[in-house]
Amino acid sequence: MKIGFIGLGNMGGPMAANLAKAGHEVTGFDMADVEIEGVRMAGGAAEAANGAQVVITMLPNGDILRRVADAVIPAMDKGAVLLDCSTVDVRSARDVAAQAQAAGLSALDAPVSGGVGGAAGGTLTFMVGGDEPGFNIAKELFDIMGQKAVHCGSSGNGQAAKICNNMILGATMIATCEAFALADKLGLERQAMFDVVSTSSGYSWSMNAYCPAPGIGPKSPADNGYQPGFAADLMLKDLRLSQQAAETVDADTPMGRAACDLYARFVEQEDGKGRDFSAMLPRFETRGRS
Ligand code: NAD
């Protein structure tokens, strides 16, 4: 396939490289001066999109996505697919999809889970919103860049799935960390706490697969000085998107709001910036109730 790829950062770079390695003809563009193995670099977003059957975007936020969409949509052939893999607000995803459809294109929002490791290893999970024909065309590319693609319904539903998932993740990580800190103060060994909770009703991905306590459970960023992994800054971004979406549709999300406020304090006022989101545990360890 002829593919345009815009936004070749930590995630987009390896995703584009994997597509090229699989034999697709990939033309890329990034604001920064980057080189990606197997990818021909264009002088602008529209040039990268020109003649492509699928144009993939992997960008920081919804405002940038809107600007890039304005540039690439007029350059794309009717029937081509605009496939946005960034994490953005649901409103921007739906507006960009409507703009693409009005120009005779298919549009998909397909945010990912799996992080930089998943992008490099081709093991991402895609949560996809948009039309069925577009999904069927992109499926072959999802299979190269990832291990699973779930079609979640119409435009914006991929972003909805992503922020709901990460709202659960943020809240359960905080709950897991505060419970470890409480257990410490009650004199309960961390290994015993893990052995019980990971096989009891308090279990979760945060406890079982990504345990925030060093030396306990499978290897995780806690065993590497809380280097990300999944950075607290990115968790904050996703929690803010969840609260923005909740406000738009008048949904009551008290746990999501509390998680958002806590990660905001951790990243913006404490030492959370640049650390893994599980570094909430050392934060709780040093604190009392007030
Ligand atoms: P990044 O900052 O490394 O990459 C974004 C790239 O977009 C940069 O290279 C930047 O130069 C480029 N860019 C910005 N404006 C542009 C424009 N107008 N035209 C062309 N290029 C432009 O970010 P990332 O970590 O690769 O994340 C990309 C997206 O994936 C984000 O929406 C993020 O929330 C999401 N995401 C990231 C992770 C992760 O672990 N890093 C995990 C899941 C989802």
Side-chain angles (χ1 to χ4, degrees):
M1 252 190 235
K2 216 170 161 233
I3 298 168
F5 206 121
I6 297 152
L8 299 160
N10 292 321
M11 297 290 292
M15 289 163 73
N18 282 337
L19 292 172
K21 204 161 66 186
H24 292 290
E25 186 186 335
V26 186
T27 306
F29 175 69
D30 194 288
M31 295 278 276
D33 194 12
V34 293
E35 271 183 38
I36 308 292
E37 206 179 333
V39 176
R40 186 181 78 80
M41 296 307 288
E47 188 192 324
N50 203 354
Q53 290 148 279
V54 178
V55 173
I56 304 177
T57 47
M58 194 52 169
L59 297 161
N61 61 48
D63 287 341
I64 295 176
L65 171 66
R66 284 170 187 270
R67 283 206 297 278
V68 169
D70 284 342
V72 300
I73 288 172
M76 290 172 66
D77 296 337
K78 282 206 184 345
V81 182
L82 181 59
L83 169 57
D84 178 45
C85 296
S86 330
T87 304
V88 304
D89 57 288
V90 176
R91 187 72 271 152
S92 294
R94 292 193 169 143
D95 287 351
V96 165
Q99 187 182 346
Q101 280 152 3
L105 307 174
S106 269
L108 299 172
D109 53 292
V112 303
S113 135
V116 178
T123 56
L124 296 168
T125 294
F126 291 87
M127 297 149 244
V128 192
D131 55 85
E132 191 79 37
F135 182 80
N136 290 337
I137 294 171
K139 176 95 188 42
E140 178 187 339
L141 307 183
F142 293 141
D143 288 344
I144 294 164
M145 297 185 287
Q147 60 185 358
K148 193 175 168 124
V150 182
H151 194 192
C152 302
S154 57
S155 295
N157 284 15
Q159 299 295 346
K162 164 94 188 178
I163 56 177
C164 288
N165 181 72
N166 281 15
M167 191 172 79
I168 296 171
L169 177 60
T172 53
M173 180 54 82
I174 290 169
T176 304
C177 291
E178 70 182 23
F180 263 120
L182 170 61
D184 287 347
K185 291 194 178 181
L186 294 172
L188 174 62
E189 289 289 335
R190 288 183 167 182
Q191 186 64 54
M193 164 87 172
F194 176 83
D195 291 345
V196 171
V197 175
S198 65
T199 54
S200 300
S201 45
Y203 87 105
S204 67
W205 186 85
S206 297
M207 176 60 88
N208 292 37
Y210 203 91
C211 183
I216 312 279
K219 274 249 167 302
S220 70
D223 300 306
N224 189 25
Y226 296 99
Q227 301 270 326
F230 185 45
D233 324 36
L234 283 175
M235 173 50 82
L236 175 58
K237 171 189 172 181
D238 294 354
L239 286 168
R240 283 194 164 133
L241 290 174
S242 77
Q243 295 313 290
Q244 188 184 337
E247 234 161 70
T248 322
V249 295
D250 191 28
D252 188 21
T253 56
M255 300 299 287
R257 183 195 298 223
C260 188
D261 290 347
L262 196 50
Y263 273 105
R265 209 182 321 152
F266 185 48
V267 168
E268 289 169 356
Q269 293 165 33
E270 301 169 357
D271 64 346
K273 197 168 175 53
R275 304 184 81 192
D276 188 74
F277 84 119
S278 62
M280 275 286 167
L281 175 53
R283 175 192 185 275
F284 283 121
E285 272 168 24
T286 58
R287 299 174 69 92
R289 279 190 81 71
S290 56

